[in-house]
Amino acid sequence: MINSVGRDIPDEYLKNGVEPFQGIYYRDGYTYPKAAPKVSAYVKPTGDKMIASIRGAIIASGLKDGMTISFHHHLRDGDYVVNMVMKEIHQLGIKDLTVCASSLGKAHSYLVPCIEDGTVTGISTSGIRDEIGEVVSEGKLKNPAVIRSHGGRARAIEDGTVKIDVAFIGASTSDAFGNASGKGGQSDTGVLAYADGDAKYANKVVVITDTIVDVPNFPASIKGVDVDYVVKVDSIGDPTKIATGALRLTTDTRELDMAKEVAKCMYYSGYFKDGFSFQTGAGGPSLATTTFLKQYMEQDHITCGWAMGGVTEPIVNLFNEGYIKTVLDDQSFDLAAVASANEGRHFEISASQYANPFNKGAFVNQLNFVILGALEIDTDFNVNVVQGSNGVLRGAPGGHPDTAAGADVSIIVAPLIRSRMPTVRDQVTSVTTPGESIDVVVTDYGVAVNPKRQDLLKAFRQTNIALKSIEELRDLAYQYTGKPAPVEFDDQVVALVEYRDGTIIDTIRKPKSLN
Amino acid sequence: MKITTQAVAGTVESSDAQVMISPSQSDLKIDLDSSVYDQYGQHIIALVKETLKDLDVEGGEVKIIDKGALDCTIKARLQTAVYRAIGKKSDLPWEVL
Amino acid sequence: MAVKQRIRRSMIFLNTQRAALVKDAFVYHPDCVIFDLEDAVAENEKDSARIQLYQTLKQLDYQGVERWVRVNALDSDLINEDIRAAVAGGAEGIRLPKTETAAEVKAAAQKIEAAEKEFGRTVGQTMLMAALESPLGIMNAYEIATADDRMMGIALSAGDYTRTMHAKRTVAGTELFGARSQMLIAARAAGVMAFDTVYTDTDNEEGFKEELRLIKNMGFDGKSCINPKQIGITHEIFNPSEQEIQHAEHVMEAVQDSKDNGVGVLTVDGKMVDIAWVEGAERTLKLAKAAGIYEGELV
């Protein structure tokens, strides 16, 4: 069936109530019962919940063939937890597991042999890149991977689309009863936002930490009342790869020029008022926007009410200098963010609070601005951030579709041409975020505004913002790069891109070049 | 025009292409390694053939490592390699390049 | 066709050898680019840079940015081919380095003319500018500026000049006052444009701004840049301020008023105005218009 962004979704993936994408607010007002976990009650006081080894915890949890396990990615490229757990599971010979991760990357390479021998047959994740991206693109995973945004994952857990049997939660610190947090240990992650739903909705919950602290480990992101077992290991991760050192602001003139243009669009949008809210990604031009926002705030004597997102040092600096009153943190990207998390008005929020479309109003719905990147953008403003132009999986929706749907003004910033690859093009390789939710595209060759936002067009026409139509941007790109030939794909579907509301927005097939 | 010695031009920096041209007994042989092969590989091969034809180069082995160079750069590196191979440095027929 | 007088606040040098640099430098919106075949290009890559230059000129739409080519010195065995490639490719102008005499300009002009004829281009369409890099060049500035009809402007190049003057580069630029002044006088007398030398400390934004204010006040038309980040700053300083534009508008309106009503004495914003200010006001508005910050009808 052709969905509303023009993508053909094979009927075999539209069963058991799964629907094709039908517009960003199609499921507004949707009613559903939440999926409660099956809890084993601890009525009798039995001392602490410590288990001597990961293997012991896996056995105690009753993990069996065909079950679903979950992980979070707050330990990012420094994560040891996924590989440690998967090695034990592999040795125990448990098969046919589905891994529901908040994201997967370089640090999780042990999943590759697990995929190849059928230990893992299903994956649900936001990020899918590097070796795992390749092995899935090659079609070696038995079932198509499901790509979910951060809000989409929280929704899938709460509405029962995903039923987690055992959640493995790496935590920087924990007490012996499972009160766990991202602070105070050897491998701090600042927050544990993505694990919140796992702890509350999984049937069994295992906390894995390298730092046991006295009871109670408060404030606790993960509450002991939700935790079955606690395992202490030597190290949950490599701190140097968990949070990068100070994320330097870009000095590249092209990126700075784009950032300046983004800030200008925000300033003239009509939403730049005292108490405004915004989220910006950690990419070069997105992050650099903060420098110019600060200038505008100074100029107009206003402050930002709250900033949200993957938090970085430039955001923390603005917060400490009083330009931002409150920070809402679902992921701490660098050491400054980790240190600042949960101090003063820098609050941790759960993935559901952040972006879940099926609760009673996530913070994304209250955003004035979001600044996002893109691998590809088509002339309907549809954005791809998941699949490389050669067809191989190499990205992550993260909060992209969530924030774009929620914010008053969603701005994409990307260079028009990367080496020879046109960013703005006739068709994106696959749709991650529908164009309906994208308002402005800022490139180094000019700025395009979605025609449905006549208010923004009208406002920008009064300024020196270099306005072009999206078709003009595409033509400019093609003028220099030539029109790219379409990549050829096999019939085999290797991944489904699920929109945040659970509908299917696109399917990803195996590129012929990988045959 | 016959290629009698080996010559190299260009770099493997992003947006550049490195071209190596070598003598060969047989017909023209093109070996393209491109970071944008799926989208532009066939186009680049056609461009290389046309450029060499315009220079009357008949045989030779051409090896290209392309890092997403635009056509003007691929053409320039290829022409440079050819002129280096035949040792011609000045009085180039610019109007036909 | 050669447009001698136009806005040229910034001219950015690009190493023509580097594909990534020349592919779309127009996105930084400089007024001019200078494709460098001289100092930036390694000796054994001169041939490669020249062919890249030709293909770039020929195939890439530079979006209205004026394209200049810095060729190798007149006494090198490279300049003939440099000029042939630049003219065949259709560059708007040639920048001749290390110019010391009018004869050198004439020699370069002859080579350009020969190339224009060879490649079927309109004779005279390729402009020339001369870089003055030595005391002798500065002494001969007026003769150089008037040596040929193709001359669009003269530019100071301070590196070699400072060395041969036994001077030291200072932040304030004291050692360049003589050269800058003399060159400007020559340029104005000859009716060509004048461009200042590069500012090499690319991380010192304040110092760069200082220097820009200095040369703008002296009367220079523009500055040679070596880093894209200098372009925006150059324009910011060279562009007339809102106040300057307003004042210029008032001057122009007062002039019109006095013509219409036969009023002899001009007063603008409560002050007496000399009729000689009119030219300056007109220039300010023209520059503002070319820079896209003035949309009025007074010029």
Side-chain angles (χ1 to χ4, degrees):
Chain A
M1 186 189 275
I2 308 279
N3 68 13
S4 76
V5 286
R7 299 290 163 148
D8 192 0
I9 313 298
D11 290 341
E12 58 180 301
Y13 302 109
L14 300 173
K15 286 182 300 200
N16 307 322
V18 178
E19 294 183 89
F21 174 73
Q22 288 165 71
I24 59 175
Y25 303 133
Y26 168 61
R27 283 192 164 164
D28 188 36
Y30 181 74
T31 45
Y32 68 102
K34 279 195 182 181
K38 189 181 281 177
V39 178
S40 310
Y42 284 52
V43 182
K44 185 176 159 196
T46 50
D48 64 36
K49 300 174 183 174
M50 299 298 293
I51 294 225
S53 67
I54 289 178
R55 177 178 290 233
I58 294 168
I59 294 166
S61 74
L63 185 69
K64 290 189 197 59
D65 291 1
M67 284 186 166
T68 295
I69 58 175
S70 84
F71 300 102
H72 68 74
H73 73 290
H74 286 287
L75 293 154
R76 301 177 61 212
D77 285 347
D79 188 7
Y80 295 164
V81 173
V82 170
N83 284 357
M84 283 192 295
V85 171
M86 288 316 301
K87 274 179 192 159
E88 296 297 336
I89 288 175
H90 207 186
Q91 282 170 14
L92 287 167
I94 303 169
K95 294 279 181 194
D96 198 19
L97 294 176
T98 295
V99 171
C100 173
S102 57
S103 200
L104 294 170
K106 269 204 254 305
H108 313 122
S109 54
Y110 196 74
L111 280 172
V112 173
C114 293
I115 289 168
E116 284 169 338
D117 74 0
T119 302
V120 171
T121 52
I123 282 180
S124 148
T125 179
S126 166
I128 187 150
R129 45 168 71 95
D130 300 306
E131 278 180 82
I132 298 168
E134 278 164 37
V135 78
V136 172
S137 299
E138 283 167 18
K140 290 190 179 159
L141 184 70
K142 188 177 163 205
N143 305 307
V146 181
I147 314 291
R148 289 197 169 100
S149 68
H150 291 328
R153 179 177 190 269
R155 183 222 85 240
I157 291 170
E158 292 187 17
D159 77 5
T161 304
V162 169
K163 185 67 237 167
I164 301 168
D165 294 294
V166 186
F168 295 94
I169 300 175
S172 309
T173 57
S174 176
D175 61 30
F177 292 86
N179 293 298
S181 111
K183 307 256 305 191
Q186 321 157 34
S187 315
D188 281 357
T189 56
V191 299
L192 291 171
Y194 299 130
D196 177 79
D198 304 37
K200 289 176 180 158
Y201 288 82
N203 290 343
K204 294 281 180 185
V205 176
V206 180
V207 164
I208 299 171
T209 185
D210 52 23
T211 308
I212 295 287
V213 297
D214 291 344
V215 178
N217 182 28
F218 275 6
S221 307
I222 304 298
K223 313 285 188 289
V225 292
D226 294 320
V227 176
D228 293 275
Y229 312 110
V230 178
V231 180
K232 183 185 178 304
V233 296
D234 290 341
S235 173
I236 59 167
D238 175 354
T240 63
K241 292 183 187 160
I242 295 168
T244 42
L247 256 177
R248 272 173 55 95
L249 279 171
T250 181
T251 55
D252 181 86
T253 306
R254 190 184 297 254
E255 292 192 340
L256 287 171
D257 284 352
M258 286 193 274
K260 205 184 275 181
E261 205 74 350
V262 170
K264 209 189 279 172
C265 290
M266 293 169 72
Y267 183 72
Y268 289 109
S269 66
Y271 294 88
F272 192 78
K273 293 181 185 143
D274 193 40
F276 77 94
S277 59
F278 79 101
Q279 173 169 340
T280 179
S286 307
L287 197 52
T289 304
T290 53
T291 308
F292 302 104
L293 276 183
K294 180 175 161 181
Q295 289 170 12
Y296 282 124
M297 284 193 267
E298 259 171 9
Q299 186 187 309
D300 284 18
H301 306 290
I302 66 167
T303 52
C304 162
W306 49 277
M308 180 164 70
V311 179
T312 53
E313 183 167 21
I315 296 289
V316 171
N317 289 345
L318 286 177
F319 169 63
N320 289 335
E321 291 163 13
Y323 290 95
I324 296 172
K325 283 191 189 142
T326 300
V327 175
L328 301 179
D329 190 338
D330 59 86
Q331 189 176 10
S332 309
F333 272 129
D334 57 22
L335 295 170
V338 166
S340 165
N342 290 313
E343 306 285 334
R345 292 195 63 80
H346 180 159
F347 300 109
E348 173 171 354
I349 53 171
S350 70
S352 185
Q353 282 177 294
Y354 167 43
N356 177 1
F358 277 16
N359 59 27
K360 296 172 185 175
F363 276 105
V364 291
N365 289 3
Q366 300 168 53
L367 272 174
N368 291 128
F369 304 101
V370 65
I371 302 137
L372 299 161
L375 291 171
E376 299 173 335
I377 307 151
D378 71 19
T379 46
D380 292 326
F381 290 83
N382 295 313
V383 175
N384 163 26
V385 290
V386 165
Q387 198 177 10
S389 294
N390 60 358
V392 178
L393 292 161
R394 52 160 284 200
H400 202 289
D402 305 308
T403 51
D408 292 320
V409 182
S410 57
I411 303 175
I412 301 288
V413 56
L416 185 66
I417 298 168
R418 290 182 170 94
S419 78
R420 189 183 183 144
M421 212 58 92
T423 304
V424 180
R425 44 175 61 218
D426 291 320
Q427 279 227 318
V428 289
T429 310
S430 58
V431 180
T432 316
T433 299
E436 188 188 344
S437 58
I438 301 297
D439 300 312
V440 182
V441 174
V442 173
T443 75
D444 41 354
Y445 286 61
V447 176
V449 175
N450 193 326
K452 78 181 183 80
R453 293 303 300 264
Q454 288 297 322
D455 59 323
L456 296 178
L457 266 172
K458 199 176 155 205
F460 294 172
R461 283 205 188 102
Q462 313 297 315
T463 72
N464 65 350
I465 291 167
L467 288 176
K468 292 203 157 52
S469 71
I470 193 82
E471 290 82 10
E472 283 173 322
L473 284 180
R474 173 205 56 199
D475 292 347
L476 252 180
Y478 285 4
Q479 181 190 335
Y480 293 92
T481 64
K483 191 178 162 140
V487 172
E488 291 184 37
F489 293 95
D490 272 358
D491 287 339
Q492 186 187 355
V493 171
V494 298
L496 303 172
V497 187
E498 189 187 270
Y499 190 59
R500 59 196 297 253
D501 65 3
T503 58
I504 304 298
I505 194 161
D506 214 339
T507 54
I508 288 174
R509 292 163 193 273
K510 178 185 182 183
K512 279 204 168 136
S513 60
L514 295 182
N515 280 340
Chain B
M1 191 188 295
K2 215 170 159 59
I3 300 299
T4 51
T5 56
Q6 193 178 69
V8 185
T11 70
V12 289
E13 286 174 28
S14 176
S15 299
D16 203 349
Q18 191 170 62
V19 176
M20 185 196 277
I21 188 157
S22 322
S24 156
Q25 297 309 315
S26 58
D27 291 347
L28 187 61
K29 204 182 137 204
I30 300 167
D31 173 9
L32 173 65
D33 169 4
S34 172
S35 64
V36 292
Y37 195 93
D38 293 332
Q39 292 84 2
Y40 295 100
Q42 294 314 309
H43 168 84
I44 293 170
I45 289 168
L47 176 76
V48 169
K49 283 183 181 159
E50 185 194 310
T51 305
L52 291 175
K53 193 169 161 237
D54 288 345
L55 290 171
D56 288 327
V57 174
E58 279 142 16
E61 204 177 316
V62 182
K63 197 173 155 46
I64 301 171
I65 302 167
D66 167 49
K67 297 290 182 189
L70 299 182
D71 279 1
C72 64
T73 295
I74 293 169
K75 215 168 159 181
R77 300 310 187 215
L78 186 61
Q79 289 169 337
T80 304
V82 169
Y83 281 115
R84 282 178 178 178
I86 62 168
K88 189 170 169 69
K89 289 216 155 156
S90 56
D91 291 322
L92 266 47
W94 292 104
E95 66 279 12
V96 299
L97 290 189
Chain C
M1 225 24 245
V3 181
K4 297 264 174 61
Q5 294 292 336
R6 55 161 275 177
I7 190 167
R8 292 188 180 97
R9 296 160 298 183
S10 56
M11 307 186 124
I12 182 157
F13 281 109
L14 303 172
N15 181 348
T16 315
Q17 199 182 322
R18 305 265 322 270
L21 282 184
V22 299
K23 78 174 206 189
D24 64 352
F26 51 83
V27 298
Y28 305 114
H29 304 292
D31 291 327
C32 314
V33 292
I34 305 174
F35 294 114
D36 192 9
L37 297 177
E38 198 208 11
D39 287 356
V41 178
E43 213 48 51
N44 57 357
E45 291 291 337
K46 297 280 187 189
D47 57 339
S48 182
R50 206 185 275 134
I51 297 179
Q52 175 71 61
L53 166 80
Y54 174 78
Q55 295 298 355
T56 304
L57 288 171
K58 200 80 181 155
Q59 292 195 35
L60 293 188
D61 177 356
Y62 249 63
Q63 306 285 336
V65 173
E66 197 171 67
R67 302 157 310 158
W68 288 76
V69 177
R70 176 159 81 168
V71 296
N72 285 281
L74 199 64
D75 60 5
S76 73
D77 56 1
L78 301 161
I79 187 169
N80 285 339
E81 203 61 16
D82 289 350
I83 287 180
R84 288 182 73 239
V87 171
E92 278 83 12
I94 303 281
R95 177 169 158 135
L96 186 66
K98 302 187 176 71
T99 315
E100 295 198 308
T101 66
E104 291 168 1
V105 173
K106 288 185 178 124
Q110 275 175 9
K111 291 180 195 295
I112 294 171
E113 185 173 333
E116 285 172 342
K117 285 177 179 157
E118 180 183 356
F119 299 109
R121 303 228 163 239
T122 312
V123 171
Q125 77 165 63
T126 317
M127 290 179 282
L128 241 177
M129 68 184 291
L132 313 182
E133 310 188 20
S134 69
L136 186 59
I138 299 292
M139 292 302 290
N140 290 332
Y142 178 75
E143 287 74 23
I144 289 169
T146 52
D148 192 274
D149 278 350
R150 295 175 187 272
M151 285 296 289
M152 178 281 288
I154 48 180
L156 179 63
S157 184
D160 284 354
Y161 172 81
T162 314
R163 181 175 50 76
T164 38
M165 287 298 287
H166 303 185
K168 208 173 147 181
R169 271 304 251 143
T170 64
V171 179
T174 324
E175 76 291 353
L176 292 178
F177 258 119
R180 281 177 171 150
S181 305
Q182 196 161 339
M183 214 193 87
L184 256 173
I185 296 167
R188 295 294 167 243
V192 303
M193 295 175 88
F195 304 96
D196 191 43
T197 187
V198 298
Y199 190 81
T200 49
D201 187 359
T202 53
D203 288 330
N204 185 355
E205 190 176 321
E206 262 323 298
F208 183 55
K209 282 183 172 169
E210 271 304 295
E211 184 160 293
L212 285 167
R213 285 188 200 103
L214 173 82
I215 62 152
K216 182 197 175 187
N217 290 340
M218 287 184 78
F220 276 96
D221 295 293
K223 182 128 181 109
S224 306
C225 301
I226 49 170
N227 187 301
K229 71 176 166 194
Q230 295 181 326
I231 294 167
I233 304 169
T234 302
H235 292 185
E236 182 190 317
I237 303 288
F238 264 95
N239 286 349
S241 66
E242 230 167 276
Q243 249 181 328
E244 286 172 317
I245 294 173
Q246 260 178 26
H247 183 71
E249 279 187 300
H250 294 167
V251 171
M252 298 293 283
E253 282 158 5
V255 171
Q256 198 52 49
D257 216 36
S258 78
K259 271 187 199 158
D260 295 348
N261 303 322
V263 183
V265 181
L266 279 185
T267 53
V268 173
D269 301 340
K271 282 181 188 161
M272 288 261 285
V273 167
D274 194 306
I275 194 73
W277 285 17
V278 174
E279 195 191 312
E282 203 177 335
R283 198 167 44 244
T284 299
L285 292 184
K286 276 188 176 160
L287 180 62
K289 197 162 213 177
I293 52 176
Y294 173 66
E295 289 173 348
E297 301 296 325
L298 291 169
V299 289

